[in-house]
Amino acid sequence: MTDMNDLAATATNLIYSSDSGFDVAVEDFRQDDDTGTDSSTIRAALAWISANVPDGQGSRLYFETGRTYIYDRTAEIDYINNLVIDLNGATLMRADASVTTARLATDTSVSSNTIVLDAVPDSWYVNDTVTAFVGSGDQDTSRNPMRITAIDPNTNTVTLAAGFGPFGNTTQTIPAGSWVGKSFQCFLGRPSTEEGGKLRPGINYNVQIINGSVDGNSANQLNNSWRFAMEIYINGRSSGIRGVRFANTTGECIVGHGLRVESCEFRNLSGSAFHTSRHDDTDAVGSASWFINNYVESVCLAGNLANGHSEGAVTFSWGAGRLIVTGNEFRNGNESVLGGFGPSSGEAMPDKWIIFSDNIATSFKALFWGLFPPLEGVVISNNVLVDCNDNSAQLNKLFNSETSSVGGNVAVGNTVLGGSFRATNATFGVEPTNTISQVKVWARGRKLRTDYSSLSDCTAVVEASTAIMALISADTTGSVVAFHSASGNRSGSFFIQWLPSQKKLQLLGNESGARVEFTTPVAMPGQVNMTLRTFNDNTAAKAAGLVAGDLYKLASGAVFSVI
């Protein structure tokens, strides 16, 4: 259990340096007798770069092509910037849980910082982080992964920075036989002094992970909780992951922010593909994120209940937003395409600003797991959604956000986009009713919500800041302009209807007390012809509901104003 970081000082092969930076081979740091683990070798190479490459000069760490590296400990990027981690066609595979996990030998208080194990795994080192769990799901898993401060191999006693705290059905005691496993990542960004599963402050500038495979080896793991295992955790600026194939993850895949995740492939993930989350301190210095031109198939397989935080193929946590998701294909998810977006209770950094455009998603429970107003800067445009169920309840919430919009999307199969859209949307397969999903033009002023009985012939909708709308539609009888207010009749408060067969324009109110008035600040030119109702006298007109100023006529044709 000797820490292999000191191997960084013993590399014997040449490290190539040029004006463009340093080329560093992982295999230059493997022990001559080949007794070092893959993780110790990778960690030694990164430690050498951290200690020897001047910040800003840049370096490339490259792996051996075609080799499979088994990682049983976190490879820490530390404070390194301007780094390319070139997997170079290699595969990084998570070690079996049997190598990284042990069982409690005795009942242990949840507040105790000392645990006794049946045996201490060889892969455990001081400063590693461990998590207790009594089952495979999130509720069975400690809320607070803890750092190892001491190991006594003679007594199999491990000292932690603090106790795990209560979780699941355990209130005071974690029973003997419960699992304690190491929580580790394939790559981890800028280090943190924080414990208890808190977010990590700081960013890595221009760190790129490219060209290879990461295999989570899910068949040989014991726990699916997002608190337990993630493959890459990094907050960055101008950083990214490109051309990497991710498969068989047991928990999370990529967690962090300020990343450009591009042209990657994700298959058979127990959790999400990309989980955006950032520490408060990184918001000002970090950048936005992009998830573009990726292929995602079979995602969130463990389900959100087991994982605890895999609401969507792309999901969101503290400080999420500032995200563009475009040009991706998503297939077959046990949850939604996108997770829960919007401010959380008491959150200082609410989620805001996301563009989801030009994607294809097939067979998900929904587009969004949840939208939580007030919403800011959510744009859903030009996507093809196939068999993604009814999204009306969530997407209608975007209606009350002046900075959000939905449009240009195509709904196929059982997908229902629903409600109140502000741009073009198309529907195939089912004639919509009680929706406006088939509007062809929507010129937006501010916001309006409506519930017309049938808008299948709708060709234009115009919203005004007064929350009154005009609907232009057409049918066999003629053309109609219908005005509607939020409190008005479901099929419109007032109509202007042209009847071509009769060469007649009608003004029709369909609410009790509705009436038509003409107010002319100047004299009306020419002649105005109107069809007036006929009454015997002023009293009869008032009894029929006319009010002072309304016009009526007698049987003789004489026109009077109600007084």
Side-chain angles (χ1 to χ4, degrees):
M1 290 182 287
T2 301
D3 194 331
M4 305 303 290
N5 274 342
D6 55 0
L7 283 176
T10 66
T12 57
N13 294 341
L14 175 66
I15 305 296
Y16 176 72
S17 176
S18 68
D19 292 339
S20 60
F22 288 78
D23 263 357
V24 181
V26 168
E27 290 306 310
D28 285 349
F29 295 84
R30 192 174 296 279
Q31 286 182 298
D32 291 338
D33 60 4
D34 203 28
T35 59
T37 67
D38 289 339
S39 283
S40 66
T41 304
I42 298 168
R43 284 169 55 86
L46 286 168
W48 189 93
I49 293 172
S50 180
N52 293 279
V53 177
D55 190 34
Q57 189 162 348
S59 54
R60 169 179 171 257
L61 175 67
Y62 64 94
F63 290 70
E64 182 179 301
T65 302
R67 184 165 185 157
T68 296
Y69 293 78
I70 305 299
Y71 58 96
D72 58 12
R73 195 177 183 197
T74 298
E76 296 185 2
I77 299 172
D78 200 69
Y79 291 92
I80 303 172
N81 297 312
N82 296 304
L83 170 67
V84 175
I85 299 175
D86 188 351
L87 301 182
N88 197 28
T91 296
L92 305 185
M93 179 176 287
R94 179 173 288 269
D96 291 358
S98 60
V99 175
T100 62
T101 308
R103 288 185 182 271
L104 285 176
T106 61
D107 291 353
T108 303
S109 170
V110 296
S111 61
S112 175
N113 69 333
T114 301
I115 59 175
V116 180
L117 304 174
D118 54 359
V120 179
D122 290 339
S123 66
W124 285 25
Y125 296 88
V126 171
N127 289 324
D128 284 349
T129 300
V130 294
T131 304
F133 56 95
V134 296
S136 63
D138 180 62
Q139 290 302 312
D140 304 320
T141 305
S142 168
R143 308 293 91 182
N144 301 306
M146 282 297 152
R147 196 172 299 277
I148 298 173
T149 60
I151 297 175
D152 185 345
N154 296 317
T155 62
N156 292 326
T157 300
V158 176
T159 304
L160 308 175
F164 291 117
F167 61 94
N169 295 323
T170 302
T171 55
Q172 298 298 327
T173 302
I174 307 173
S178 299
W179 293 103
V180 181
K182 187 158 64 169
S183 177
F184 61 101
Q185 291 80 49
C186 178
F187 292 108
L188 179 64
R190 184 171 172 174
S192 167
T193 58
E194 295 186 280
E195 298 295 340
K198 296 180 181 178
L199 301 178
R200 299 166 68 85
I203 63 163
N204 294 90
Y205 170 73
N206 190 25
V207 170
Q208 312 294 330
I209 302 172
I210 65 172
N211 300 337
S213 300
V214 176
D215 192 324
N217 190 18
S218 57
N220 294 299
Q221 308 304 317
L222 299 173
N223 188 283
N224 295 121
S225 174
W226 71 286
R227 301 174 185 274
F228 185 71
M230 60 189 74
E231 304 310 326
I232 295 175
Y233 183 10
I234 183 171
N235 286 302
R237 185 174 72 246
S238 300
S239 295
I241 302 168
R242 185 179 73 254
V244 177
R245 296 180 297 276
F246 294 89
N248 310 319
T249 57
T250 186
E252 294 285 67
C253 193
I254 300 171
V255 179
H257 221 317
L259 302 174
R260 187 181 184 95
V261 182
E262 181 177 7
S263 301
C264 293
E265 188 172 299
F266 302 83
R267 289 180 183 270
N268 301 318
L269 309 186
S270 293
S272 303
F274 189 23
H275 183 156
T276 59
S277 182
R278 78 173 92 225
H279 189 282
D280 290 1
D281 294 345
T282 70
D283 186 51
V285 295
S287 65
S289 285
W290 289 260
F291 191 82
I292 59 175
N293 299 336
N294 300 292
Y295 182 82
V296 182
E297 182 174 357
S298 299
V299 64
C300 303
L301 297 181
N304 188 50
L305 181 63
N307 180 271
H309 209 331
S310 63
E311 300 89 350
V314 176
T315 198
F316 315 103
S317 188
W318 192 273
R322 292 170 62 183
L323 172 67
I324 295 174
V325 181
T326 188
N328 306 284
E329 183 170 2
F330 300 90
R331 287 178 176 268
N332 305 324
N334 276 359
E335 300 295 344
S336 300
V337 183
L338 301 173
F341 195 83
S344 301
S345 177
E347 186 173 347
M349 294 175 58
D351 303 343
K352 55 185 177 182
W353 309 322
I354 177 174
I355 296 174
F356 184 81
S357 66
D358 300 293
N359 303 286
I360 300 174
T362 303
S363 298
F364 284 81
K365 287 185 177 179
L367 174 56
F368 274 99
W369 181 81
L371 284 167
F372 306 99
L375 294 160
E376 184 173 349
V378 179
V379 178
I380 310 298
S381 63
N382 303 322
N383 303 287
V384 178
L385 304 174
V386 183
D387 292 333
C388 291
N389 299 298
D390 190 344
N391 299 272
S392 303
Q394 294 300 330
L395 292 182
N396 281 343
K397 296 177 183 179
L398 295 174
F399 190 78
N400 293 320
S401 168
E402 296 180 11
T403 62
S404 299
S405 64
V406 180
N409 303 291
V410 177
V412 183
N414 71 9
T415 303
V416 177
L417 297 175
S420 305
F421 292 97
R422 298 190 177 93
T424 56
N425 293 281
T427 300
F428 295 123
V430 180
E431 178 71 10
T433 58
N434 294 318
T435 74
I436 47 178
S437 59
Q438 203 176 348
V439 296
K440 299 179 178 62
V441 179
W442 190 313
R444 174 174 173 257
R446 275 186 178 274
K447 55 181 179 295
L448 174 71
R449 185 161 186 156
T450 185
D451 183 23
Y452 274 73
S453 58
S454 178
L455 301 179
S456 59
D457 295 316
C458 174
T459 58
V461 176
V462 180
E463 293 180 274
S465 59
T466 56
I468 297 176
M469 85 171 230
L471 163 68
I472 303 174
S473 63
D475 56 30
T476 56
T477 61
S479 301
V480 177
V481 179
F483 297 88
H484 177 86
S485 62
S487 59
N489 189 288
R490 61 179 286 131
S491 58
S493 304
F494 185 78
F495 296 93
I496 303 175
Q497 183 175 25
W498 168 248
L499 301 177
S501 61
Q502 302 179 41
K503 300 294 188 292
K504 182 167 65 176
L505 181 67
Q506 293 189 139
L507 307 180
L508 306 170
N510 67 355
E511 294 185 4
S512 176
R515 59 198 180 96
V516 177
E517 290 186 357
F518 289 95
T519 301
T520 57
V522 296
M524 294 179 66
Q527 184 177 356
V528 177
N529 296 313
M530 292 179 289
T531 301
L532 300 179
R533 297 173 65 183
T534 300
F535 297 100
N536 292 330
D537 51 31
N538 185 80
T539 300
K542 292 179 66 176
L546 275 64
V547 298
D550 288 347
L551 297 179
Y552 70 97
K553 67 179 182 179
L554 301 178
S556 63
V559 176
F560 292 89
S561 178
V562 174
I563 56 176

